[in-house]
Amino acid sequence: MAWSRAGTFANVRGVVRNDIRSRNSTVKAIGWNTEFAAGEDWSITTDLSYSAVERNDLDLETYSGTGFGNTGAANTLGYQQGGGGGFIFSSVLDYSDPSLILLTDPQGWGGATGQAGFLKEPQTNDELTSLRLSAERELHAVFSSIEFGVNISNREKEKDSIENFVDLVGGNTTPVPVPAQFLQSPTSLAFLGLGEMISYDPRALLNAGGIYTLRPLVNSDVVVKAWNVEEEVTTLYTQLNIDNVMFSVPVSGNLGLQLVHTDQSSTGGVMTNTGPQIVSDGDTYDEILPASISPGISPTMIACASAIARTLARPRMDDLRASFAVNYNFGNILVTDPSQSYWSGNGGNPRLRPWVANSFDLSYEH
């Protein structure tokens, strides 16, 4: 079958779509660190910090065309493939004419009320507060010092997604011209052969009032986008520091334990057979993490051993969200490929535990 390199589409009623995406973030951070000596052998350190990020996104799309629901003036659109493989088009209609290209629902997506656009406003707040207190005492013995302390951190992150259909005021399906004060200089699409395109400021239209109205979208996929996760981690630790010479052998390192207590919880939307519900769940657990010791063999030969090293990596906050939804795709019913499933799901798990790795390292260095 040979593909045509040139041709004509008749009765084309195109959609003129404008998209605006913006992000406004506010970042706050403050910290205080104090270290002081308490007597000849004692030192105490205090570290307090707070940080917060507030992020507001905007994703606005608005539509215009020659008429509502595949009505209005139709175009005859010609195309021809150029030498570089791209296509050049020709148009009978003038898409820069504000009396021809009107605010409307060109494809009739909104039914009887019309849908002249769509607005998504994801909002995210993330706060982290941390307090660390530690004390160290010089021992002047086999172990050079003993250190102990506590580290408390509390992090809370919440996300919401406000989504609305953008309709013309009154659910009007009659196309509305773009008010002259919002028109901007036409945008050239000459590189496509389409001449100039009408340009206007959709955000100014939305904020002006009297033109657009918002109709909330409360579908299941929007409900499950809202969630809150809180994680409080308390770490108690003690360790013996070694920086000494034993039997003419230099020894350095530390030996100790950490007790990490985690209290995590989340609230989010879950879809059930009776509709969306708000659920809460969480978990508490403890982990013990040993410290390490690094003995020396001679002044020029060092063997470093990390005895039963245990590391911990926490999941992302959104992986801990309580939100969950099950989706289906009718298109996959007729697909014989077993990798294409009819069902799909997405969400988080408030009881998710961290990755924990145990290892033993031995190295010899000269």
Side-chain angles (χ1 to χ4, degrees), residues 47 130-133 149-153 233-237 261:
D47 199 326
S130 179
L131 170 65
R132 181 181 180 89
L133 299 172
V150 59
N151 184 19
I152 302 173
S153 65
V233 181
T234 302
T235 303
L236 299 172
Y237 78 94
H261 175 76

Side-chain angles (χ1 to χ4, degrees), residues 106-130:
Q107 298 293 314
W109 297 299
T113 59
Q115 180 188 343
F118 194 75
L119 174 64
K120 291 191 294 185
E121 297 178 281
Q123 300 173 352
T124 305
N125 293 319
D126 194 348
E127 287 186 319
L128 175 61
T129 304
S130 179

Side-chain angles (χ1 to χ4, degrees), residues 54-135:
E54 180 180 340
R55 192 182 77 193
N56 297 308
D57 295 343
L58 181 141
D59 187 350
L60 172 63
E61 53 189 67
T62 60
Y63 318 129
S64 53
T66 59
F68 171 79
N70 285 312
T71 63
N75 195 10
T76 299
L77 198 64
Y79 69 91
Q80 182 175 0
Q81 188 175 27
F87 285 87
I88 301 297
F89 299 87
S90 61
S91 173
V92 174
L93 297 180
D94 179 9
Y95 282 97
S96 67
D97 184 356
S99 65
L100 176 67
I101 306 302
L102 310 170
L103 303 176
T104 187
D105 181 353
Q107 298 293 314
W109 297 299
T113 59
Q115 180 188 343
F118 194 75
L119 174 64
K120 291 191 294 185
E121 297 178 281
Q123 300 173 352
T124 305
N125 293 319
D126 194 348
E127 287 186 319
L128 175 61
T129 304
S130 179
L131 170 65
R132 181 181 180 89
L133 299 172
S134 64

Side-chain angles (χ1 to χ4, degrees), residues 205-284:
L205 282 174
L206 180 65
N207 296 332
I211 302 172
Y212 287 131
T213 184
L214 300 180
R215 176 164 46 97
L217 175 62
V218 291
N219 289 354
S220 59
D221 62 328
V222 178
V223 173
V224 300
K225 291 178 182 178
W227 50 267
N228 171 279
V229 174
E230 185 171 1
E231 181 184 67
E232 183 174 304
V233 181
T234 302
T235 303
L236 299 172
Y237 78 94
T238 181
Q239 67 182 41
L240 291 166
N241 299 314
I242 306 171
D243 187 9
N244 212 330
V245 177
M246 302 174 61
F247 306 105
S248 301
V249 177
V251 179
S252 61
N254 56 68
L255 181 64
L257 288 175
Q258 292 187 79
L259 174 62
V260 183
H261 175 76
T262 302
D263 186 352
Q264 60 193 37
S265 60
S266 175
T267 300
V270 174
M271 286 307 302
T272 68
N273 56 358
T274 59
Q277 294 184 3
I278 302 300
V279 300
S280 298
D281 200 359
D283 196 10
T284 59

Side-chain angles (χ1 to χ4, degrees), residues 10 13 21 27 35 41 45 53 61 68 71 87 100-101 142 152 156 172 187 216 228 248 299 308 315 326:
R13 293 179 174 87
R21 291 183 175 88
V27 180
E35 182 175 352
D41 295 327
T45 302
V53 177
E61 53 189 67
F68 171 79
T71 63
F87 285 87
L100 176 67
I101 306 302
V142 175
I152 302 173
E156 184 174 4
N172 190 5
T187 299
N228 171 279
S248 301
I308 318 177
V326 176

